[in-house]
Amino acid sequence: MMYRRELYSLVYVAFILCAVVSPSTAIRVRASEGTLKRILLKDRIRGGGSYIQSNPNYNDPDPNQFLPPMLGDLEKDQIRRSHQHTSYDSNYNQYSARTQRQPKPIAQVVKEFFQQLRLSSPALFYGTVSSIMVFVLWQIPQLSSILSKNFVCSQYNLSKRRYHTLFTSIISHTTISHIFMNLYGFLVFGKSIEPILKLNDMSLAAYCTLAGIFANTFFVMIHRNGSCIGLSGVTLSLLALDAMLHPSKEIGFLIKFIPIRLPAQYALTGLLIWSVLGMMAMANGRGDGVAHATHFGGLIFGIGFYELMKRGIWKDLTNLRRKWR
C-alpha cells in the first residue's frame, strides 16, 4: 500500500515538473481537488489514510492558486502571475465610490493650475496672467482709448514714438476665442520648447520677447495702415521651432469644429502656405481680419532660430557674449 501512494506522488510531481521546466512540450495538467480525492479514496478504502487534511475553518475558492504555473500560464510572456479573483460586485462598488465623490471646486482647480504653472515655468505663468489681465481691461469700454494707444501695434503708434507697443501688443487680446487659442498654443508649445532653450542658453521669456517683437515689426513693414494684437506671432514661432526639432510629432488642429491631426512638418508647411496666401489676399484688398504677416513673421523667426542652433552660430554668439562679460 505504501508503494502505491509513493507511486501516485511521483507521477503527480513528474507532471508538475514537465509543465514548469518544458512548457513547450508539457501537457497542461491541473489536478482538481475532486480528482485527488477519488485517487486517494481507493487507498483509504483499502486501509490507507488520506494525505489531505481539510481545515473546516478555511474555504479556499481556488485550491489550485498556489500550484506551480502551467503551460497556459507561461505561454505568452514567461511571466509568473498569481490567479486573481475579481468580483463584479466589488468592482462596481469601487467604481460607484469614485463616481460619487464630489469634484474639486473650480476655484481650487484654477488656483492649483496657476500654482503649478508658476513653479514649473515662470515665463509661461506671467505671460498667461498678463494676457488675461489685459483681456479683462479690454472689456471695460472706458479704457479702450488708453489701451489702443499702448497695447496695439501699428504704424501710427510707432510714428507717435510708442515703441513699447511692439512688445505690449503681444499680451493684448479683445475676444475670448482669440485669447483662448493663443494661450492654448502658448502653453502647449512653450512647455515643449522651454527645456531645449535652457540647454542652449536661451530663456523662454527672452525667446518669446524677441519672437513677438520680430513678428510685429514684420507686420508693420508689410502693412503700413494696419494694426495687430495677440500672442499669435509668439505661439507660431514656438510651433515652428518645435516642428523643426520634432518633425514627426503629431499636432492637433480644430478647423470649423473638425479635428485634424498632422505631423508637425506638414502642419508647419501648411501654415507657411496659408500665411503667404493670406498676405497676398490682404495686398489685393481681400483681407479676412487675420494678421497673416504676424503669423508669417513668427514662423520665420522659429525656423531661423533653429538654423542658428543647428549650424552652431547661436553657440558661438553665446560664447562671445560670455567673453564680453
Side-chain angles (χ1 to χ4, degrees), residues 134-152:
V134 175
F135 169 76
V136 173
L137 294 177
W138 272 109
Q139 310 312 309
I140 304 175
Q142 293 80 0
L143 299 178
S144 59
S145 176
I146 298 175
L147 294 173
S148 298
K149 295 178 181 179
N150 295 281
F151 286 89
V152 175

Side-chain angles (χ1 to χ4, degrees), residues 1-2 5 40-51:
M1 182 61 64
M2 181 63 68
R5 293 176 184 173
L40 297 174
L41 184 60
K42 296 180 181 180
D43 293 335
R44 195 168 186 178
I45 293 174
R46 297 174 184 176
S50 174
Y51 290 133

Side-chain angles (χ1 to χ4, degrees), residues 116-189:
Q116 183 63 33
L117 184 63
R118 184 177 183 179
L119 293 175
S120 61
S121 176
L124 292 177
F125 171 78
Y126 289 110
T128 302
V129 171
S130 59
S131 296
I132 295 174
M133 292 177 62
V134 175
F135 169 76
V136 173
L137 294 177
W138 272 109
Q139 310 312 309
I140 304 175
Q142 293 80 0
L143 299 178
S144 59
S145 176
I146 298 175
L147 294 173
S148 298
K149 295 178 181 179
N150 295 281
F151 286 89
V152 175
C153 179
S154 64
Q155 187 73 308
Y156 174 78
N157 279 338
L158 294 178
S159 66
K160 299 294 183 179
R161 297 184 179 181
R162 298 168 187 161
Y163 303 118
H164 59 279
T165 56
L166 288 171
F167 170 73
T168 55
S169 62
I170 298 172
I171 57 174
S172 182
H173 303 82
T174 58
T175 62
I176 189 66
S177 59
H178 192 202
I179 189 174
F180 176 79
M181 290 188 296
N182 281 345
L183 285 182
Y184 177 77
F186 178 62
L187 294 174
V188 170
F189 298 113

Side-chain angles (χ1 to χ4, degrees), residues 86-95:
T86 58
S87 172
Y88 173 80
D89 293 336
S90 63
N91 290 340
Y92 174 78
N93 292 334
Q94 294 176 4
Y95 171 78

Side-chain angles (χ1 to χ4, degrees), residues 14-300:
F15 274 113
I16 293 177
L17 291 176
C18 281
V20 174
V21 176
S22 180
S24 60
T25 58
I27 301 175
R28 181 181 180 86
V29 176
R30 188 173 294 270
S32 65
E33 185 179 4
T35 304
L36 287 175
K37 285 184 177 180
R38 286 196 301 271
I39 294 174
L40 297 174
L41 184 60
K42 296 180 181 180
D43 293 335
R44 195 168 186 178
I45 293 174
R46 297 174 184 176
S50 174
Y51 290 133
I52 300 178
Q53 297 294 331
S54 60
N55 187 349
N57 298 322
Y58 177 70
N59 184 20
D60 187 3
D62 185 4
N64 297 315
Q65 62 176 323
F66 299 111
L67 291 177
M70 300 300 174
L71 176 61
D73 301 324
L74 301 174
E75 60 186 1
K76 293 183 179 181
D77 49 18
Q78 305 299 315
I79 300 177
R80 296 172 180 263
R81 294 180 173 86
S82 62
H83 296 273
Q84 299 178 354
H85 300 278
T86 58
S87 172
Y88 173 80
D89 293 336
S90 63
N91 290 340
Y92 174 78
N93 292 334
Q94 294 176 4
Y95 171 78
S96 178
R98 290 195 302 267
T99 56
Q100 290 177 4
R101 297 174 186 171
Q102 291 294 332
K104 295 181 180 179
I106 187 65
Q108 182 180 351
V109 174
V110 174
K111 181 180 178 181
E112 291 177 355
F113 169 77
F114 281 104
Q115 288 177 342
Q116 183 63 33
L117 184 63
R118 184 177 183 179
L119 293 175
S120 61
S121 176
L124 292 177
F125 171 78
Y126 289 110
T128 302
V129 171
S130 59
S131 296
I132 295 174
M133 292 177 62
V134 175
F135 169 76
V136 173
L137 294 177
W138 272 109
Q139 310 312 309
I140 304 175
Q142 293 80 0
L143 299 178
S144 59
S145 176
I146 298 175
L147 294 173
S148 298
K149 295 178 181 179
N150 295 281
F151 286 89
V152 175
C153 179
S154 64
Q155 187 73 308
Y156 174 78
N157 279 338
L158 294 178
S159 66
K160 299 294 183 179
R161 297 184 179 181
R162 298 168 187 161
Y163 303 118
H164 59 279
T165 56
L166 288 171
F167 170 73
T168 55
S169 62
I170 298 172
I171 57 174
S172 182
H173 303 82
T174 58
T175 62
I176 189 66
S177 59
H178 192 202
I179 189 174
F180 176 79
M181 290 188 296
N182 281 345
L183 285 182
Y184 177 77
F186 178 62
L187 294 174
V188 170
F189 298 113
K191 290 181 179 179
S192 177
I193 292 302
E194 187 170 17
I196 299 176
L197 292 175
K198 288 182 179 179
L199 292 175
N200 291 273
D201 298 315
M202 168 66 85
S203 67
L204 180 63
Y207 177 88
C208 292
T209 301
L210 294 175
I213 292 176
F214 179 87
N216 287 338
T217 302
F218 186 83
F219 175 87
V220 295
M221 291 175 60
I222 299 298
H223 304 292
R224 297 287 180 177
N225 299 321
S227 62
C228 65
I229 58 174
L231 272 167
S232 302
V234 174
T235 299
L236 290 180
S237 70
L238 293 171
L239 183 151
L241 182 56
D242 195 20
M244 297 298 291
L245 291 168
H246 313 106
S248 298
K249 176 182 178 179
E250 284 195 349
I251 299 178
F253 293 92
L254 192 64
I255 301 178
K256 293 183 178 181
F257 301 101
I258 301 175
I260 298 176
R261 297 190 67 85
L262 293 173
Q265 186 73 44
Y266 298 164
L268 177 58
T269 303
L271 287 171
L272 284 169
I273 295 174
W274 181 54
S275 298
V276 171
L277 294 177
M279 287 189 295
M280 295 174 60
M282 290 188 69
N284 295 327
R286 294 182 286 108
D288 54 1
V290 179
H292 293 284
T294 307
H295 296 175
F296 186 80
L299 295 171
I300 293 300

